[in-house]
C-alpha cells in the first residue's frame, strides 16, 4: 500500500460545486502539505500543517480551505469551484523541517 | 529566495551517465540543495540533498561547487525509467517550505 494516499485520483465537476480532496498517510509524519501543479510548471504550496493544531497558508491559499482531522489525515476543500482551479493536486508529508517530502500520486481535478 | 536556473530539457542515451546542471548563484550559506524528480503521471520523488560536500546515495550523486553557486545531479547509468522532470531546489522559506521551479525534462533515448 502507498505511504501517502490521495482520493479521488480523478474528478470532473462543475463550476460552483463544493469539492473535497482527501489525503491519508501511514508514515507517521507530523507535517503535511497540499500543492497545486499547472501544466509545465513546478508545484505551488496551497496550505501546510505542522501538526493537528497548526495550519498555515501557503503561496496560493485563496479559494481553498483545509482540515487536519488527525495526524494521518489532511483534506483540501474548494468551497465553490471555478475553472481556473483545474489542475493536478498533490499531498505530501515530511518528518522534521528540511527533511525529504513524500508525495501521493495526485488528484487530477477538472472544473467545467 | 535563491534564483534557480536549469535547462528546460536534456537528452541522454540509455546506460550512459547523465549530468544535470543547476545554477543557484544567490543561495544563502545555510540552504540545503534538494533534488526531486517527477516521473510521468506520478507525484514528485525525493532524489538527494546536500549542503557543501558531495553526496551519494543509491539513486544518484550530487556534486556541489566549492562556492555553492551551482550543483550537478549525476545519474551514473541512465535507464529508460529515469526519464522524468528533475527539480533543483536550493532554498526554503523560513518554515522549511520547498520553493519549486519548472525543472529539467530528461529524455532518455534507447
Amino acid at each position: 500500500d502507498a505511504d501517502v494516499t490521495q482520493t479521488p485520483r480523478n474528478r470532473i465537476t462543475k463550476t460552483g460545486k463544493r469539492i473535497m480532496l482527501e489525503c491519508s498517510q501511514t508514515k507517521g509524519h507530523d507535517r503535511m502539505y497540499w500543492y497545486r501543479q499547472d501544466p509545465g510548471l513546478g508545484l505551488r504550496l496551497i496550505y501546510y500543517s505542522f501538526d493537528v493544531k497548526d495550519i498555515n497558508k501557503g503561496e496560493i491559499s485563496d479559494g481553498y480551505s483545509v482540515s487536519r482531522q488527525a495526524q494521518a489525515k489532511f483534506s483540501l476543500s474548494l468551497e465553490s469551484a471555478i475553472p481556473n482551479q483545474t489542475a493536478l493536486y498533490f499531498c505530501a508529508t515530511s518528518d522534521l523541517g528540511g527533511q525529504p517530502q513524500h508525495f501521493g500520486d495526485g488528484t487530477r481535478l477538472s472544473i467545467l | 529566495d535563491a534564483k534557480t536556473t536549469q535547462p528546460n530539457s536534456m537528452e541522454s542515451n540509455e546506460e550512459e551517465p547523465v549530468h544535470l546542471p543547476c545554477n543557484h548563484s544567490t543561495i544563502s550559506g545555510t540552504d540545503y540543495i534538494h533534488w526531486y524528480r517527477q516521473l510521468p503521471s506520478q507525484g514528485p520523488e525525493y532524489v538527494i540533498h546536500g549542503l557543501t560536500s558531495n553526496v551519494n546515495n543509491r539513486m544518484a550523486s550530487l556534486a556541489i561547487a566549492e562556492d555553492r553557486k551551482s550543483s550537478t545531479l549525476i545519474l551514473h547509468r541512465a535507464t529508460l525509467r529515469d526519464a522524468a522532470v528533475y527539480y533543483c531546489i536550493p532554498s526554503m522559506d523560513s518554515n522549511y517550505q520547498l520553493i519549486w521551479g519548472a525543472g529539467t525534462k530528461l529524455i532518455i533515448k534507447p
Side-chain angles (χ1 to χ4, degrees):
Chain A
D1 289 339
D3 294 324
V4 183
T5 303
Q6 292 185 234
T7 56
R9 292 296 314 279
N10 294 280
R11 178 79 185 271
I12 301 173
T13 191
K14 295 181 179 180
T15 298
K17 294 290 188 181
R18 184 179 188 275
I19 301 159
M20 179 180 286
L21 309 183
E22 299 187 338
C23 178
S24 62
Q25 54 121 342
T26 59
K27 298 193 72 67
H29 289 162
D30 285 328
R31 298 180 178 222
M32 297 187 74
Y33 312 81
W34 275 105
Y35 289 93
R36 165 179 173 158
Q37 186 175 35
D38 293 285
L41 301 179
L43 279 67
R44 291 184 292 168
L45 185 63
I46 306 173
Y47 271 95
Y48 59 103
S49 170
F50 286 170
D51 62 40
V52 174
K53 297 181 180 179
D54 183 8
I55 293 177
N56 306 278
K57 293 182 177 180
E59 177 188 357
I60 54 165
S61 60
D62 286 349
Y64 302 94
S65 63
V66 291
S67 173
R68 184 82 183 265
Q69 300 94 326
Q71 186 204 38
K73 295 185 181 296
F74 193 35
S75 300
L76 176 72
S77 294
L78 289 68
E79 296 300 327
S80 179
I82 55 177
N84 73 4
Q85 291 177 313
T86 293
L88 195 53
Y89 290 85
F90 289 104
C91 174
T93 74
S94 72
D95 195 357
L96 300 174
Q99 294 302 306
Q101 295 187 10
H102 301 263
F103 287 80
D105 285 333
T107 294
R108 186 170 298 279
L109 179 61
S110 297
I111 300 165
L112 306 177
Chain B
D1 301 339
K3 177 175 169 55
T4 308
T5 304
Q6 292 182 260
N8 290 331
S9 65
M10 291 182 62
E11 289 189 359
S12 183
N13 294 319
E14 192 177 13
E15 299 187 2
E16 291 185 355
V18 180
H19 289 67
L20 294 162
C22 180
N23 289 319
H24 31 77
S25 58
T26 60
I27 191 171
S28 77
T30 56
D31 281 336
Y32 278 79
I33 299 157
H34 298 251
W35 284 81
Y36 283 74
R37 72 180 185 181
Q38 187 174 16
L39 279 65
S41 302
Q42 294 187 23
E45 174 186 32
Y46 167 79
V47 177
I48 201 167
H49 74 287
L51 184 62
T52 54
S53 302
N54 294 345
V55 184
N56 301 292
N57 66 19
R58 66 174 179 81
M59 290 181 69
S61 296
L62 177 60
I64 302 172
E66 192 171 341
D67 62 8
R68 293 190 6 101
K69 294 184 177 181
S70 65
S71 60
T72 301
L73 180 71
I74 303 165
L75 307 179
H76 294 286
R77 194 163 173 265
T79 70
L80 296 177
R81 289 173 295 183
D82 290 321
V85 178
Y86 286 78
Y87 297 95
C88 166
I89 305 173
S91 63
M92 295 178 166
D93 65 16
S94 58
N95 286 312
Y96 300 102
Q97 302 313 308
L98 299 171
I99 300 168
W100 299 73
T104 296
K105 182 176 183 179
L106 178 63
I107 299 165
I108 304 296
K109 296 180 289 184

